[in-house]
Amino acid sequence: MTTFSEPAVREAEGGSGRTPPDHTGLPHQSEPPREYGPVNHERGDVYVEERLSPLAAREANRAAVLNLLDAVDVKAFAVRGTSDHGTVVAVAEEDRERVLSVLFRGLGQYPGQLSVIDPDAPRPARPVSSRDPRAWHDVAGAPALQVSWYRTDPEQRLLLGHEYGCAIEFWRSHGSHLVAPRPNRVTWAVPADGAAVPGAARLFSRFVSDWTPRDQAPPVETRPEFLVNTADDITFPIDAVYTWVDGNDPAWQRRKAEAKGEVYHTESASDARFISRDELRYSVRSLHLFAPWIRNIYIVTDDQVPEWLREDVPGIRIATHREIFRDPADLPTFNSHSIESQLHHIEGLSEHFLYFNDDMFMGRPVAPHAFFTPSGTARYFPSRNRIPQGPVAETDTPVDAACKNNRALLQERFGRVITQPMEHIPYAIRRSAMEEAERDFPEAWARTSASRFRAMTDLSPTSSFALYYAALTGRAQPGSMPFTYLHLSVPDLADRLQRLLDGRDQDSFCLNDAFSTPEDIEVQQELLDGFLTSYFPTPSPYEK
């Protein structure tokens, strides 16, 4: 297997791994250090943690800080900070001495990172190892401090740092109130003698929703003033839908061989379109790592179940073609356009959902606001390409033919001309828009559903038509997102994958394939195995 070099390892400088954190967020005291190689980061110690995720690191850092504060009987309450990655807790200014004392002891026993927060500084201060005396120079008068423990997975592929730390704000007494030292999302002041109340975790980070499991994001102790739904909160459920096929399945291959219908274009029945490279497993991992706000995941298949999938775990379900197709005569089908035309028939599917091909991935923590506005408007991502002019021609690719069909119907209905296809970014869809589009264009929709292979008459229901239909009916608007589209047949595939891994600076990326030969596929698979396990090392709860 190809080994990709990792930032967590390349930047490390000698030393041995420390023990995994326990439920308090601090390392175990009873276990000896485990040797995992060089995991002392250039800015301090790194702790090894099983089942690592950004949310797990965030919650562990918060729990560790609260555990220290509890040890000296300092009362703290959660604040709705302006960063979604980390957490914020408030303490009274009068407790500063006890807070600093217990932090000094705790960070002495389990070295971590510390930074002084100055709301008026032009840029945030860099974190400093708590081993370094300079970390403690300005803490006596700091409005707030950020504390963290760097964490990595056992294979040192993922490094989660200071951005997932816990900030401690020192709120000053002013009359009968405590006043915040810097802005937050709700209020500058709370009553000094106010009661503590439990607050849902999703109020304190946009990366969490009411459907994130409580063991991953438990309620926090806060003040009543923070228990409000603000104008920029997303409170509606968002599901994820995948279409997936295992093209190596002999039963599926027989169905495909027996299917009737003329294949008009080499891409239409290319075996590369149906290969399962295990991308789905890693795409689901990307949701677990970077979009824990997803409510339910639906995997649409032709009576197939990925061998790694646990079907007994809540939050994920197989939806078969037989379940969602309104006309059984349209089955079997080997046309993604046909399958996509029926997705809105999934039982229990939310009004707002993201549609993924199995080669699409989240690349870093992404809030639902990247795909929907708080009022429910979907965001779509127009491509830099343009739809070719003129009617459908025999020389058109399947993609261009479908775009032209989309354009003709929408122009007839709304008097508007669409000029751009969509980028390969997860498609934010309103279920109601698909339902209405099917009612408005029953013949074109039925024709697409009945096409067993891609045909000149197809629409592209999810990747374009439903998005523009939603926009033209006031339910979608254009957006932008850092993303990468990478075709697996490029000659410098290894270098491009390494740059993507090194940067980890894309909200989403797509690893697409359509024309690879069997010889190409073998080489690509070795590269993909190394890349995907390095980028997404933590199994999702849905894996056996």
PDB file of all heavy atoms in Angstrom, residues 125-156:
ATOM      1  N   ALA A 125      -3.282  35.296  19.321  1.00  0.00           N
ATOM      2  CA  ALA A 125      -1.948  34.889  19.755  1.00  0.00           C
ATOM      3  C   ALA A 125      -1.724  33.414  19.451  1.00  0.00           C
ATOM      4  O   ALA A 125      -2.645  32.605  19.528  1.00  0.00           O
ATOM      5  CB  ALA A 125      -1.780  35.145  21.257  1.00  0.00           C
ATOM      6  N   ARG A 126      -0.495  33.068  19.108  1.00  0.00           N
ATOM      7  CA  ARG A 126      -0.161  31.668  18.869  1.00  0.00           C
ATOM      8  C   ARG A 126      -0.138  30.908  20.189  1.00  0.00           C
ATOM      9  O   ARG A 126       0.306  31.441  21.209  1.00  0.00           O
ATOM     10  CB  ARG A 126       1.204  31.551  18.193  1.00  0.00           C
ATOM     11  CG  ARG A 126       1.211  31.978  16.739  1.00  0.00           C
ATOM     12  CD  ARG A 126       2.637  31.996  16.197  1.00  0.00           C
ATOM     13  NE  ARG A 126       3.276  30.704  16.303  1.00  0.00           N
ATOM     14  CZ  ARG A 126       3.209  29.737  15.382  1.00  0.00           C
ATOM     15  NH1 ARG A 126       2.481  29.936  14.289  1.00  0.00           N
ATOM     16  NH2 ARG A 126       3.840  28.598  15.542  1.00  0.00           N
ATOM     17  N   PRO A 127      -0.605  29.671  20.179  1.00  0.00           N
ATOM     18  CA  PRO A 127      -0.521  28.887  21.421  1.00  0.00           C
ATOM     19  C   PRO A 127       0.922  28.566  21.765  1.00  0.00           C
ATOM     20  O   PRO A 127       1.772  28.413  20.881  1.00  0.00           O
ATOM     21  CB  PRO A 127      -1.310  27.621  21.081  1.00  0.00           C
ATOM     22  CG  PRO A 127      -1.235  27.509  19.588  1.00  0.00           C
ATOM     23  CD  PRO A 127      -1.241  28.916  19.076  1.00  0.00           C
ATOM     24  N   VAL A 128       1.191  28.468  23.053  1.00  0.00           N
ATOM     25  CA  VAL A 128       2.529  28.164  23.555  1.00  0.00           C
ATOM     26  C   VAL A 128       2.421  26.948  24.462  1.00  0.00           C
ATOM     27  O   VAL A 128       1.467  26.820  25.247  1.00  0.00           O
ATOM     28  CB  VAL A 128       3.119  29.362  24.330  1.00  0.00           C
ATOM     29  CG1 VAL A 128       4.517  29.033  24.848  1.00  0.00           C
ATOM     30  CG2 VAL A 128       3.154  30.606  23.439  1.00  0.00           C
ATOM     31  N   SER A 129       3.398  26.054  24.384  1.00  0.00           N
ATOM     32  CA  SER A 129       3.396  24.880  25.260  1.00  0.00           C
ATOM     33  C   SER A 129       3.406  25.329  26.711  1.00  0.00           C
ATOM     34  O   SER A 129       4.143  26.237  27.099  1.00  0.00           O
ATOM     35  CB  SER A 129       4.613  24.003  24.974  1.00  0.00           C
ATOM     36  OG  SER A 129       4.735  22.994  25.960  1.00  0.00           O
ATOM     37  N   SER A 130       2.588  24.659  27.518  1.00  0.00           N
ATOM     38  CA  SER A 130       2.543  25.006  28.933  1.00  0.00           C
ATOM     39  C   SER A 130       3.860  24.687  29.636  1.00  0.00           C
ATOM     40  O   SER A 130       4.091  25.138  30.762  1.00  0.00           O
ATOM     41  CB  SER A 130       1.397  24.261  29.622  1.00  0.00           C
ATOM     42  OG  SER A 130       1.576  22.853  29.539  1.00  0.00           O
ATOM     43  N   ARG A 131       4.744  23.939  28.995  1.00  0.00           N
ATOM     44  CA  ARG A 131       6.076  23.695  29.538  1.00  0.00           C
ATOM     45  C   ARG A 131       6.948  24.949  29.452  1.00  0.00           C
ATOM     46  O   ARG A 131       7.941  25.069  30.171  1.00  0.00           O
ATOM     47  CB  ARG A 131       6.767  22.585  28.752  1.00  0.00           C
ATOM     48  CG  ARG A 131       6.140  21.198  28.850  1.00  0.00           C
ATOM     49  CD  ARG A 131       6.894  20.261  27.905  1.00  0.00           C
ATOM     50  NE  ARG A 131       6.358  18.910  27.906  1.00  0.00           N
ATOM     51  CZ  ARG A 131       6.817  17.920  28.668  1.00  0.00           C
ATOM     52  NH1 ARG A 131       7.781  18.171  29.538  1.00  0.00           N
ATOM     53  NH2 ARG A 131       6.303  16.710  28.582  1.00  0.00           N
ATOM     54  N   ASP A 132       6.595  25.847  28.537  1.00  0.00           N
ATOM     55  CA  ASP A 132       7.390  27.053  28.283  1.00  0.00           C
ATOM     56  C   ASP A 132       6.953  28.155  29.251  1.00  0.00           C
ATOM     57  O   ASP A 132       5.774  28.527  29.274  1.00  0.00           O
ATOM     58  CB  ASP A 132       7.166  27.500  26.839  1.00  0.00           C
ATOM     59  CG  ASP A 132       8.111  28.597  26.396  1.00  0.00           C
ATOM     60  OD1 ASP A 132       8.569  29.377  27.257  1.00  0.00           O
ATOM     61  OD2 ASP A 132       8.367  28.696  25.173  1.00  0.00           O
ATOM     62  N   PRO A 133       7.855  28.704  30.054  1.00  0.00           N
ATOM     63  CA  PRO A 133       7.463  29.764  30.995  1.00  0.00           C
ATOM     64  C   PRO A 133       6.801  30.961  30.335  1.00  0.00           C
ATOM     65  O   PRO A 133       5.994  31.656  30.960  1.00  0.00           O
ATOM     66  CB  PRO A 133       8.806  30.165  31.635  1.00  0.00           C
ATOM     67  CG  PRO A 133       9.670  28.956  31.488  1.00  0.00           C
ATOM     68  CD  PRO A 133       9.271  28.325  30.183  1.00  0.00           C
ATOM     69  N   ARG A 134       7.089  31.187  29.042  1.00  0.00           N
ATOM     70  CA  ARG A 134       6.490  32.333  28.352  1.00  0.00           C
ATOM     71  C   ARG A 134       4.965  32.188  28.224  1.00  0.00           C
ATOM     72  O   ARG A 134       4.270  33.194  28.047  1.00  0.00           O
ATOM     73  CB  ARG A 134       7.112  32.487  26.959  1.00  0.00           C
ATOM     74  CG  ARG A 134       8.578  32.904  26.972  1.00  0.00           C
ATOM     75  CD  ARG A 134       9.149  32.896  25.567  1.00  0.00           C
ATOM     76  NE  ARG A 134       9.143  31.553  24.989  1.00  0.00           N
ATOM     77  CZ  ARG A 134       9.538  31.268  23.749  1.00  0.00           C
ATOM     78  NH1 ARG A 134       9.957  32.253  22.960  1.00  0.00           N
ATOM     79  NH2 ARG A 134       9.524  30.025  23.310  1.00  0.00           N
ATOM     80  N   ALA A 135       4.462  30.962  28.312  1.00  0.00           N
ATOM     81  CA  ALA A 135       3.022  30.758  28.211  1.00  0.00           C
ATOM     82  C   ALA A 135       2.271  31.446  29.335  1.00  0.00           C
ATOM     83  O   ALA A 135       1.094  31.796  29.186  1.00  0.00           O
ATOM     84  CB  ALA A 135       2.699  29.264  28.207  1.00  0.00           C
ATOM     85  N   TRP A 136       2.951  31.677  30.472  1.00  0.00           N
ATOM     86  CA  TRP A 136       2.288  32.178  31.674  1.00  0.00           C
ATOM     87  C   TRP A 136       2.550  33.663  31.925  1.00  0.00           C
ATOM     88  O   TRP A 136       2.093  34.205  32.932  1.00  0.00           O
ATOM     89  CB  TRP A 136       2.741  31.364  32.885  1.00  0.00           C
ATOM     90  CG  TRP A 136       2.483  29.896  32.696  1.00  0.00           C
ATOM     91  CD1 TRP A 136       3.347  28.965  32.209  1.00  0.00           C
ATOM     92  CD2 TRP A 136       1.260  29.209  32.941  1.00  0.00           C
ATOM     93  NE1 TRP A 136       2.755  27.731  32.139  1.00  0.00           N
ATOM     94  CE2 TRP A 136       1.468  27.848  32.589  1.00  0.00           C
ATOM     95  CE3 TRP A 136       0.012  29.599  33.426  1.00  0.00           C
ATOM     96  CZ2 TRP A 136       0.477  26.883  32.713  1.00  0.00           C
ATOM     97  CZ3 TRP A 136      -0.971  28.632  33.556  1.00  0.00           C
ATOM     98  CH2 TRP A 136      -0.745  27.299  33.204  1.00  0.00           C
ATOM     99  N   HIS A 137       3.238  34.339  31.016  1.00  0.00           N
ATOM    100  CA  HIS A 137       3.669  35.718  31.274  1.00  0.00           C
ATOM    101  C   HIS A 137       2.509  36.682  31.485  1.00  0.00           C
ATOM    102  O   HIS A 137       2.561  37.539  32.372  1.00  0.00           O
ATOM    103  CB  HIS A 137       4.545  36.208  30.115  1.00  0.00           C
ATOM    104  CG  HIS A 137       5.960  35.701  30.198  1.00  0.00           C
ATOM    105  ND1 HIS A 137       6.934  36.002  29.262  1.00  0.00           N
ATOM    106  CD2 HIS A 137       6.561  34.884  31.109  1.00  0.00           C
ATOM    107  CE1 HIS A 137       8.069  35.412  29.599  1.00  0.00           C
ATOM    108  NE2 HIS A 137       7.863  34.720  30.703  1.00  0.00           N
ATOM    109  N   ASP A 138       1.473  36.595  30.663  1.00  0.00           N
ATOM    110  CA  ASP A 138       0.423  37.617  30.671  1.00  0.00           C
ATOM    111  C   ASP A 138      -0.914  37.106  31.177  1.00  0.00           C
ATOM    112  O   ASP A 138      -1.949  37.739  30.926  1.00  0.00           O
ATOM    113  CB  ASP A 138       0.253  38.182  29.255  1.00  0.00           C
ATOM    114  CG  ASP A 138       1.528  38.809  28.722  1.00  0.00           C
ATOM    115  OD1 ASP A 138       2.180  39.533  29.504  1.00  0.00           O
ATOM    116  OD2 ASP A 138       1.871  38.573  27.542  1.00  0.00           O
ATOM    117  N   VAL A 139      -0.926  35.993  31.878  1.00  0.00           N
ATOM    118  CA  VAL A 139      -2.210  35.405  32.271  1.00  0.00           C
ATOM    119  C   VAL A 139      -2.891  36.170  33.401  1.00  0.00           C
ATOM    120  O   VAL A 139      -4.114  36.103  33.555  1.00  0.00           O
ATOM    121  CB  VAL A 139      -2.040  33.925  32.679  1.00  0.00           C
ATOM    122  CG1 VAL A 139      -1.503  33.104  31.509  1.00  0.00           C
ATOM    123  CG2 VAL A 139      -1.136  33.790  33.890  1.00  0.00           C
ATOM    124  N   ALA A 140      -2.124  36.925  34.191  1.00  0.00           N
ATOM    125  CA  ALA A 140      -2.702  37.582  35.380  1.00  0.00           C
ATOM    126  C   ALA A 140      -3.768  38.601  35.020  1.00  0.00           C
ATOM    127  O   ALA A 140      -4.722  38.801  35.787  1.00  0.00           O
ATOM    128  CB  ALA A 140      -1.594  38.237  36.207  1.00  0.00           C
ATOM    129  N   GLY A 141      -3.637  39.255  33.897  1.00  0.00           N
ATOM    130  CA  GLY A 141      -4.630  40.257  33.525  1.00  0.00           C
ATOM    131  C   GLY A 141      -5.357  39.958  32.243  1.00  0.00           C
ATOM    132  O   GLY A 141      -6.059  40.823  31.691  1.00  0.00           O
ATOM    133  N   ALA A 142      -5.234  38.725  31.724  1.00  0.00           N
ATOM    134  CA  ALA A 142      -5.837  38.370  30.445  1.00  0.00           C
ATOM    135  C   ALA A 142      -7.359  38.356  30.524  1.00  0.00           C
ATOM    136  O   ALA A 142      -7.919  37.792  31.474  1.00  0.00           O
ATOM    137  CB  ALA A 142      -5.337  37.012  29.977  1.00  0.00           C
ATOM    138  N   PRO A 143      -8.065  38.946  29.553  1.00  0.00           N
ATOM    139  CA  PRO A 143      -9.534  38.842  29.531  1.00  0.00           C
ATOM    140  C   PRO A 143     -10.020  37.399  29.392  1.00  0.00           C
ATOM    141  O   PRO A 143     -11.072  37.040  29.909  1.00  0.00           O
ATOM    142  CB  PRO A 143      -9.927  39.671  28.303  1.00  0.00           C
ATOM    143  CG  PRO A 143      -8.753  40.546  28.017  1.00  0.00           C
ATOM    144  CD  PRO A 143      -7.548  39.764  28.435  1.00  0.00           C
ATOM    145  N   ALA A 144      -9.211  36.595  28.702  1.00  0.00           N
ATOM    146  CA  ALA A 144      -9.580  35.184  28.495  1.00  0.00           C
ATOM    147  C   ALA A 144      -8.337  34.396  28.137  1.00  0.00           C
ATOM    148  O   ALA A 144      -7.337  34.952  27.657  1.00  0.00           O
ATOM    149  CB  ALA A 144     -10.631  35.061  27.401  1.00  0.00           C
ATOM    150  N   LEU A 145      -8.400  33.089  28.362  1.00  0.00           N
ATOM    151  CA  LEU A 145      -7.323  32.170  28.018  1.00  0.00           C
ATOM    152  C   LEU A 145      -7.912  31.022  27.207  1.00  0.00           C
ATOM    153  O   LEU A 145      -9.062  30.639  27.413  1.00  0.00           O
ATOM    154  CB  LEU A 145      -6.666  31.592  29.275  1.00  0.00           C
ATOM    155  CG  LEU A 145      -6.114  32.576  30.308  1.00  0.00           C
ATOM    156  CD1 LEU A 145      -5.694  31.814  31.564  1.00  0.00           C
ATOM    157  CD2 LEU A 145      -4.936  33.344  29.730  1.00  0.00           C
ATOM    158  N   GLN A 146      -7.119  30.474  26.312  1.00  0.00           N
ATOM    159  CA  GLN A 146      -7.531  29.265  25.596  1.00  0.00           C
ATOM    160  C   GLN A 146      -6.601  28.127  25.997  1.00  0.00           C
ATOM    161  O   GLN A 146      -5.375  28.281  25.981  1.00  0.00           O
ATOM    162  CB  GLN A 146      -7.486  29.468  24.074  1.00  0.00           C
ATOM    163  CG  GLN A 146      -7.852  28.217  23.296  1.00  0.00           C
ATOM    164  CD  GLN A 146      -9.055  28.381  22.410  1.00  0.00           C
ATOM    165  OE1 GLN A 146      -9.913  29.223  22.685  1.00  0.00           O
ATOM    166  NE2 GLN A 146      -9.149  27.592  21.364  1.00  0.00           N
ATOM    167  N   VAL A 147      -7.184  26.987  26.353  1.00  0.00           N
ATOM    168  CA  VAL A 147      -6.436  25.823  26.816  1.00  0.00           C
ATOM    169  C   VAL A 147      -6.766  24.641  25.911  1.00  0.00           C
ATOM    170  O   VAL A 147      -7.932  24.433  25.543  1.00  0.00           O
ATOM    171  CB  VAL A 147      -6.804  25.478  28.274  1.00  0.00           C
ATOM    172  CG1 VAL A 147      -6.019  24.262  28.751  1.00  0.00           C
ATOM    173  CG2 VAL A 147      -6.561  26.669  29.189  1.00  0.00           C
ATOM    174  N   SER A 148      -5.747  23.878  25.560  1.00  0.00           N
ATOM    175  CA  SER A 148      -6.002  22.700  24.737  1.00  0.00           C
ATOM    176  C   SER A 148      -4.928  21.663  24.969  1.00  0.00           C
ATOM    177  O   SER A 148      -3.844  21.955  25.480  1.00  0.00           O
ATOM    178  CB  SER A 148      -6.042  23.068  23.243  1.00  0.00           C
ATOM    179  OG  SER A 148      -4.741  23.422  22.789  1.00  0.00           O
ATOM    180  N   TRP A 149      -5.257  20.433  24.574  1.00  0.00           N
ATOM    181  CA  TRP A 149      -4.297  19.334  24.531  1.00  0.00           C
ATOM    182  C   TRP A 149      -4.330  18.785  23.113  1.00  0.00           C
ATOM    183  O   TRP A 149      -5.377  18.335  22.637  1.00  0.00           O
ATOM    184  CB  TRP A 149      -4.667  18.255  25.539  1.00  0.00           C
ATOM    185  CG  TRP A 149      -4.444  18.664  26.963  1.00  0.00           C
ATOM    186  CD1 TRP A 149      -3.341  18.419  27.725  1.00  0.00           C
ATOM    187  CD2 TRP A 149      -5.354  19.393  27.800  1.00  0.00           C
ATOM    188  NE1 TRP A 149      -3.491  18.960  28.980  1.00  0.00           N
ATOM    189  CE2 TRP A 149      -4.719  19.563  29.062  1.00  0.00           C
ATOM    190  CE3 TRP A 149      -6.630  19.952  27.624  1.00  0.00           C
ATOM    191  CZ2 TRP A 149      -5.309  20.241  30.123  1.00  0.00           C
ATOM    192  CZ3 TRP A 149      -7.221  20.625  28.675  1.00  0.00           C
ATOM    193  CH2 TRP A 149      -6.562  20.767  29.919  1.00  0.00           C
ATOM    194  N   TYR A 150      -3.216  18.858  22.414  1.00  0.00           N
ATOM    195  CA  TYR A 150      -3.169  18.346  21.050  1.00  0.00           C
ATOM    196  C   TYR A 150      -3.415  16.843  21.064  1.00  0.00           C
ATOM    197  O   TYR A 150      -2.930  16.123  21.937  1.00  0.00           O
ATOM    198  CB  TYR A 150      -1.806  18.628  20.421  1.00  0.00           C
ATOM    199  CG  TYR A 150      -1.638  20.022  19.885  1.00  0.00           C
ATOM    200  CD1 TYR A 150      -2.256  21.111  20.495  1.00  0.00           C
ATOM    201  CD2 TYR A 150      -0.858  20.262  18.762  1.00  0.00           C
ATOM    202  CE1 TYR A 150      -2.103  22.392  20.006  1.00  0.00           C
ATOM    203  CE2 TYR A 150      -0.687  21.538  18.267  1.00  0.00           C
ATOM    204  CZ  TYR A 150      -1.308  22.605  18.887  1.00  0.00           C
ATOM    205  OH  TYR A 150      -1.151  23.874  18.402  1.00  0.00           O
ATOM    206  N   ARG A 151      -4.148  16.371  20.054  1.00  0.00           N
ATOM    207  CA  ARG A 151      -4.549  14.958  20.009  1.00  0.00           C
ATOM    208  C   ARG A 151      -4.321  14.393  18.613  1.00  0.00           C
ATOM    209  O   ARG A 151      -4.518  15.077  17.606  1.00  0.00           O
ATOM    210  CB  ARG A 151      -6.021  14.813  20.414  1.00  0.00           C
ATOM    211  CG  ARG A 151      -6.296  15.336  21.829  1.00  0.00           C
ATOM    212  CD  ARG A 151      -7.779  15.516  22.102  1.00  0.00           C
ATOM    213  NE  ARG A 151      -7.983  16.288  23.328  1.00  0.00           N
ATOM    214  CZ  ARG A 151      -8.079  15.764  24.551  1.00  0.00           C
ATOM    215  NH1 ARG A 151      -8.005  14.466  24.711  1.00  0.00           N
ATOM    216  NH2 ARG A 151      -8.253  16.533  25.607  1.00  0.00           N
ATOM    217  N   THR A 152      -3.939  13.119  18.584  1.00  0.00           N
ATOM    218  CA  THR A 152      -3.756  12.421  17.318  1.00  0.00           C
ATOM    219  C   THR A 152      -4.329  11.015  17.444  1.00  0.00           C
ATOM    220  O   THR A 152      -4.530  10.514  18.558  1.00  0.00           O
ATOM    221  CB  THR A 152      -2.274  12.362  16.908  1.00  0.00           C
ATOM    222  OG1 THR A 152      -2.157  11.835  15.573  1.00  0.00           O
ATOM    223  CG2 THR A 152      -1.467  11.481  17.846  1.00  0.00           C
ATOM    224  N   ASP A 153      -4.613  10.385  16.318  1.00  0.00           N
ATOM    225  CA  ASP A 153      -5.092   9.009  16.324  1.00  0.00           C
ATOM    226  C   ASP A 153      -3.902   8.069  16.511  1.00  0.00           C
ATOM    227  O   ASP A 153      -2.741   8.482  16.405  1.00  0.00           O
ATOM    228  CB  ASP A 153      -5.812   8.703  15.013  1.00  0.00           C
ATOM    229  CG  ASP A 153      -4.870   8.784  13.834  1.00  0.00           C
ATOM    230  OD1 ASP A 153      -4.494   9.920  13.441  1.00  0.00           O
ATOM    231  OD2 ASP A 153      -4.479   7.727  13.301  1.00  0.00           O
ATOM    232  N   PRO A 154      -4.129   6.791  16.810  1.00  0.00           N
ATOM    233  CA  PRO A 154      -3.019   5.865  17.080  1.00  0.00           C
ATOM    234  C   PRO A 154      -2.013   5.753  15.939  1.00  0.00           C
ATOM    235  O   PRO A 154      -0.841   5.473  16.179  1.00  0.00           O
ATOM    236  CB  PRO A 154      -3.728   4.529  17.337  1.00  0.00           C
ATOM    237  CG  PRO A 154      -5.056   4.925  17.887  1.00  0.00           C
ATOM    238  CD  PRO A 154      -5.437   6.177  17.142  1.00  0.00           C
ATOM    239  N   GLU A 155      -2.444   5.968  14.709  1.00  0.00           N
ATOM    240  CA  GLU A 155      -1.524   5.892  13.578  1.00  0.00           C
ATOM    241  C   GLU A 155      -0.925   7.255  13.220  1.00  0.00           C
ATOM    242  O   GLU A 155      -0.189   7.362  12.244  1.00  0.00           O
ATOM    243  CB  GLU A 155      -2.251   5.304  12.356  1.00  0.00           C
ATOM    244  CG  GLU A 155      -2.801   3.907  12.569  1.00  0.00           C
ATOM    245  CD  GLU A 155      -1.711   2.911  12.917  1.00  0.00           C
ATOM    246  OE1 GLU A 155      -0.598   3.040  12.389  1.00  0.00           O
ATOM    247  OE2 GLU A 155      -1.978   2.006  13.732  1.00  0.00           O
ATOM    248  N   GLN A 156      -1.241   8.267  14.008  1.00  0.00           N
ATOM    249  CA  GLN A 156      -0.689   9.614  13.828  1.00  0.00           C
ATOM    250  C   GLN A 156      -1.004  10.198  12.447  1.00  0.00           C
ATOM    251  O   GLN A 156      -0.188  10.857  11.824  1.00  0.00           O
ATOM    252  CB  GLN A 156       0.821   9.583  14.048  1.00  0.00           C
ATOM    253  CG  GLN A 156       1.238   9.014  15.397  1.00  0.00           C
ATOM    254  CD  GLN A 156       2.671   8.576  15.415  1.00  0.00           C
ATOM    255  OE1 GLN A 156       3.527   9.253  14.878  1.00  0.00           O
ATOM    256  NE2 GLN A 156       2.936   7.443  16.029  1.00  0.00           N
TER     257      GLN A 156
END
